[in-house]
Amino acid sequence: MHAGKSLIGFILLFLFVSSCSDETEPKQVFQNLSPKAHYVGLQSCLTCHSEVHKTYQYTGMGQSFAPAHQRFSDADFNVEKAIYEPNSDFYYFPFVKDSLMYVREFRLNEHGDTIHNRVERISYIVGSGHHTNSHIVSFNNYLFQAPVTYYTQEGKWDMAPSFREEGNLRFDRLLDSECITCHNHFPEHAQGSLNKFPQMPSGIECERCHGPGRLPLDAIHKGIL
């Protein structure tokens, strides 16, 4: 009985000491989570890291997002046959005109006559081309995924991911902040909208992964770093 009481007393003493030590230990504070931590932009980062950026801009992350222009695309536009999506009975034909990128949506009747024709200009390319180039259309800065993707490893055009399995949304799959910021740096998002972005960066920048640069920049100016 005496041994049991001693053991219980030891356990209670241990818990008391542990709780006291937790209260006296200083809390760990991450400075980049403070209100003083602000984003400073790519140009500020380049003042110290220009050599790093020279190589980074050619990586997959650096080329993750770009304006839709043929020089930024890995796609082959020598397309001989349109992509057919049987569930919606639409055909899609990507093409280039004056280096700008477009996709044509059309439907044929039983005689092979065109009974529907729609052409949309592609506004952005998503993906570095290591695996795919997907595409975005913009209607007055409201962004939607285009229904076609170029699969670089297979060397072919096909329906965009999930457009066959989950249904062809045509040009109506809206892209919100969660979609865009997964593939790109932080865009300017119009307050109150789901998918309106007045300003769009091109590729993932330094602070997307490293966090706000205000505090390190201040430390450099003060001679601390």
Side-chain angles (χ1 to χ4, degrees):
M1 180 67 70
H2 179 72
K5 290 182 178 180
S6 299
L7 178 61
I8 293 173
F10 175 78
I11 293 173
L12 292 174
L13 178 63
F14 175 78
L15 293 175
F16 175 76
V17 172
S18 298
S19 63
C20 290
S21 62
D22 289 342
E23 292 178 0
T24 57
E25 288 181 359
K27 292 183 179 180
Q28 188 176 19
V29 178
F30 295 96
Q31 295 184 24
N32 248 13
L33 297 179
S34 74
K36 296 181 180 179
H38 300 293
Y39 291 96
V40 296
L42 175 63
Q43 294 305 314
S44 295
C45 300
L46 291 180
T47 58
C48 293
H49 303 291
S50 59
E51 292 301 317
V52 174
H53 182 259
K54 285 180 182 178
T55 55
Y56 171 76
Q57 64 183 323
Y58 297 108
T59 65
M61 293 178 70
Q63 297 182 332
S64 63
F65 205 98
H69 191 281
Q70 191 173 12
R71 72 176 182 273
F72 298 130
S73 176
D74 294 281
D76 181 3
F77 284 92
N78 295 314
V79 182
E80 297 181 357
K81 187 178 180 180
I83 305 161
Y84 180 59
E85 205 294 296
N87 295 318
S88 58
D89 193 27
F90 281 113
Y91 291 85
Y92 293 94
F93 189 82
F95 65 96
V96 168
K97 183 178 181 181
D98 298 328
S99 297
L100 300 179
M101 300 165 56
Y102 300 85
V103 59
R104 177 190 174 208
E105 176 191 78
F106 63 98
R107 177 179 284 164
L108 305 176
N109 64 13
E110 63 273 17
H111 305 294
D113 299 321
T114 301
I115 56 174
H116 166 82
N117 188 63
R118 175 181 179 181
V119 175
E120 296 294 349
R121 179 181 167 184
I122 296 171
S123 300
Y124 299 104
I125 302 169
V126 184
S128 64
H130 291 175
H131 298 282
T132 63
N133 276 170
S134 288
H135 304 92
I136 294 174
V137 294
S138 173
F139 304 123
N140 295 323
N141 294 324
Y142 289 90
L143 301 189
F144 298 84
Q145 184 175 358
V148 294
T149 289
Y150 186 75
Y151 296 85
T152 52
Q153 295 186 358
E154 291 84 0
K156 69 173 185 178
W157 286 91
D158 206 339
M159 298 299 292
S162 80
F163 271 61
R164 284 199 188 278
E165 296 80 4
E166 300 178 13
N168 180 13
L169 297 178
R170 302 172 66 195
F171 299 95
D172 294 331
R173 183 183 182 186
L174 66 83
L175 301 175
D176 58 16
S177 292
E178 184 177 359
C179 296
I180 298 300
T181 56
C182 187
H183 297 279
N184 198 13
H185 197 65
F186 303 113
E188 178 188 341
H189 181 224
Q191 187 175 1
S193 76
L194 290 175
N195 62 325
K196 186 175 184 179
F197 301 92
Q199 296 292 332
M200 185 64 62
S202 295
I204 296 172
E205 298 179 5
C206 314
E207 293 172 296
R208 182 67 177 80
C209 297
H210 293 282
R214 179 75 273 162
L215 296 182
L217 197 63
D218 288 345
I220 291 171
H221 291 161
K222 294 176 182 178
I224 300 174
L225 288 179

